[in-house]
Amino acid sequence: MRQRLIATLIAVLSMVLLAVMPAWWRQPKGLSYALDPDQFAARTEAMAKAHASGRSTETGQPIVRPPEGDVYLMARRWSWYPVLELEAGRRYRLHVASQDVVHGFHLSLNDAERLLVPGRVEVVTVRAEKPGRFAIVCSDYCGLEHNGMQAPLLVTDKP
Amino acid sequence: MADPLLERLHEALARSGLKREARAWALLAAWALAVAGLFALLLALARTPVVQDLLPWRGDGFFRKALVTHVDFSFVVWFLALLGVLLAFAAALLPKAGPAGAILGRIAVGLGILAFFLMALPALLDRGLPALNNYVPVLEDPIFMAGLVALFLALGLVSARLLAGMVRPERARDELALAGAAAALAILVSLLCFLIALGQLPKGLDPANWAEHLFWGGGHVLQFAYTILLVAIWQVLSRLAFDQPALSPALYRAALFAFLPFILAAPFFYARHPILSLELKNAFADLFLYGLVLPSLVAGLGVLTCWRQRTQPGGAAGLALILSVLLYGLGGLAGYTLGPNDTRIPAHYHAVIGGVNLAAMGFYYAVLLPLLGRPILGRKKMAVSLGLYGLGQFLWTAGMFLAGLLGVARKTAGAAQGLDSAPKTIAMTVMGVGGVMAVAGGVLFVALILYGLLAKRSRP
Ligand SMILES: [Cu+2]
C-alpha cells in the first residue's frame, strides 16, 4: 500500500516537473538586432581605433578601453576581437556578433549567454562592481579549436 | 542457471528464436568497445615521440579523426548495441514473438554490422573532416554518414518491432519488457528529433554548426534510453546479487513512467523555439535537469537499500552494482556545478557514463554471458576488472573535476593547457593514473566477454 502511494507520488511529481520546466516559457533574453557583418566589423574597428590602449600578451589581440556606453565585440574562428578593458561601476551595452559561423557567447561576470547567429547582433548589459579579470568563452561548438576560443574581459578600478 | 529470472529469459530466448539476435547485439557491443580501445591506443601512439613517425597516418588531422571514431564507438555504437540486446530480450519476453519479428531483427543486426564497418573505416583511410560536436561527433564523409544512418535505422527497426508487439499493455508484465518498451520509445523519439532538426537547419550552415545542432536535441533524448537501460540493469543485478530487486514492481513502473513525459515532450520544443536559438538548446538541457534526476535517484536509493539489507555477499553483480550507483551519483552531483567551458564538464559526463558502463559490465558478467555464451569461471578476474575500472574512473573524475575548479580548459592538450601551478599538475597526474587504471580494467573486461561470447560453449 505504501509502495503504491510512493509510486503514484513519483508519477505525479514527474508530470509536475515537466509542467514547471522553464523550457516551456523561456524567451530570448535582452535585445538583438539584424546587421550586416561588414557593418558590424566597421563599428568594432572604429571603436578599436579610437580607444586602443595596448596589446594583450595572452591573446595577441589589441586591448581597447572604450568609454561608458556602446561597446563592440566580434566573434570569429577562433578568437574574440578586441580585448575589452572596462571600468568598474560603469554601465556598458556590449554588442556581440559573429563574423563567420554560429558561435556562443558566455561571460563569467554575469553568467550571460547568447547564441551568435551570423547577421544578428546580441546586446548584453555589462556592469562590474569590482575590478578583475572575467572570462569570455565560446559556448556553442564551432569547429576544432572551439575550446580554445576564450578571451579575458578586463575590469579596472576608476582612475 | 538456478535463478528464476535467468531461467525465464533462457526459456523466452529459446522459444522466440531471438537468442542469436541477442547474442549478435551483445557481440557487436563488445566489438565496439574493442574498436574504441584500438582507436584510443592509436590516439596515444599518435602523440608518442618516435612511434608517431612509424604510423602510416600523420598529424593533427588523423588525431581528430581517431578521436571522433573513438568517441562514437565507446559512446554511441556500444550503448546502442547494448540497447539492441535489451530490445531483443524484451521482444523475446512477449507472449507472441513471431517469425516476422525474427526476420526484422536479422535485418537490423545486418545493418548494425554494416554500420560498424562504415563508421570505423573512414578514420583509418584518413577520410573526412572531423567535427567534435556533442553526443554524436562525426566525420564529414559519405561513408561515415551512411554508417551512422544504418546504425540509427537498425535501432529504429527493432524499437518499432517491440512497440508494435506491445500494443496491449497486459503483455508487458516483465521488468525487462517494460524497460525495453520505454527505451524503444526514447530511441524513436530521438530519431524523430534528428529528422526534425535535419529539416529545420538552414542550408549552407557550416558543417561543425550543422552537426552540433543536428544532434543536440535527439542526443539528449538518447540519454534517456541509456538511463532507462541503466535502471533496468540495476533492477536485474540487484535481484541477482542481493536476492531482491532494486525497486518493488510498483516503484519500478513509476520510475520508468517518470521518464516518459519528458521523452514525449522533446519534439515539441522544435515547434516552440527556432532551431538556431539558445532557448532550444537550454530546453533540452532542462530535460536532463528535470527529467533524469528523479527516476535515477529513486532507482539508486533502491539499490542502496537492497545493499544495506543484503543477506549474501553479492559477487561480481553486487560489486558492479554498487560501484555503478556510486560513480553515477558522483557524476550527477558534479553536473550541478558545471562551468561553461572547463574540465568539470567531462568530469561530469565521464562519471555518469562510467556508472552506466559499470552496470553494463555487471550485466555481461551476470546475465549476458550465462545466457548467450559461457559464464566466466574465475570470480577474481571479474572483480579485478570492475575494481580497476571503477576506482580508475573515480580517480579520473576527481582529478578532472579538480582541474576544472582550477580552470584548465577542456579538450586541449599539451602546452595550451596552462599547467602553471603545482595543484593543477597534481590534479592532472591523479587523472592520468586513474585513466590508466580504467583503461586496464576496460581491456580486461572486453577480453573476458569476447572470450566468453566466442569460446565454444560447454553447455548444450
Ligand atoms: Cu566559437
Side-chain angles (χ1 to χ4, degrees), chain A residues 93-149:
Chain A
R93 269 187 311 279
L94 176 59
H95 302 244
V96 203
S98 165
Q99 288 296 106
D100 43 31
V101 300
V102 178
H103 293 283
F105 168 85
H106 182 272
L107 175 61
S108 66
L109 169 66
N110 52 4
D111 206 24
E113 190 174 3
R114 297 285 190 279
L115 197 68
L116 306 176
V117 181
R120 277 208 88 72
V121 181
E122 300 286 333
V123 185
V124 179
T125 306
V126 177
R127 186 195 159 105
E129 296 307 328
K130 281 182 195 148
R133 277 174 62 92
F134 302 95
I136 294 168
V137 297
C138 180
S139 56
D140 199 67
Y141 183 76
C142 60
L144 292 179
E145 301 302 324
H146 159 69
N147 287 300
M149 190 168 160

Side-chain angles (χ1 to χ4, degrees), chain A residues 3-4 6-8 10-15 17-18 20-29 77 101-103 106 113-115 117 137-150, chain B residues 60 64 130-134 205-206 208-209 212-213 248 250-251 253-255 257-258 261-262 265 268-269 272-273 276-279 281-283 286-287 290 294 298 340-341 409-412:
Chain A
Q3 293 280 326
R4 284 194 176 272
I6 300 172
T8 312
I10 291 169
V12 171
L13 187 55
S14 76
M15 306 292 271
L17 283 170
L18 179 80
V20 302
M21 210 167 43
W24 300 119
W25 41 262
R26 198 185 278 117
Q27 287 301 315
K29 283 177 248 169
R77 273 177 170 168
V101 300
V102 178
H103 293 283
H106 182 272
E113 190 174 3
R114 297 285 190 279
L115 197 68
V117 181
V137 297
C138 180
S139 56
D140 199 67
Y141 183 76
C142 60
L144 292 179
E145 301 302 324
H146 159 69
N147 287 300
M149 190 168 160
Q150 312 195 5
Chain B
D60 221 33
R64 312 269 192 178
L132 279 162
N133 53 289
N134 283 293
L205 197 65
D206 180 83
N209 291 150
E212 173 71 4
H213 292 271
S248 71
L251 275 181
R253 274 199 291 271
F257 173 85
F262 296 88
F268 293 98
F269 292 158
R272 282 197 78 81
H273 304 293
L276 287 179
S277 70
L278 188 61
E279 292 68 45
K281 284 189 72 181
N282 286 340
D286 280 351
L287 276 188
Y290 288 78
L294 176 68
V298 170
N341 199 348
R410 70 178 174 128
K411 274 191 198 161
T412 47

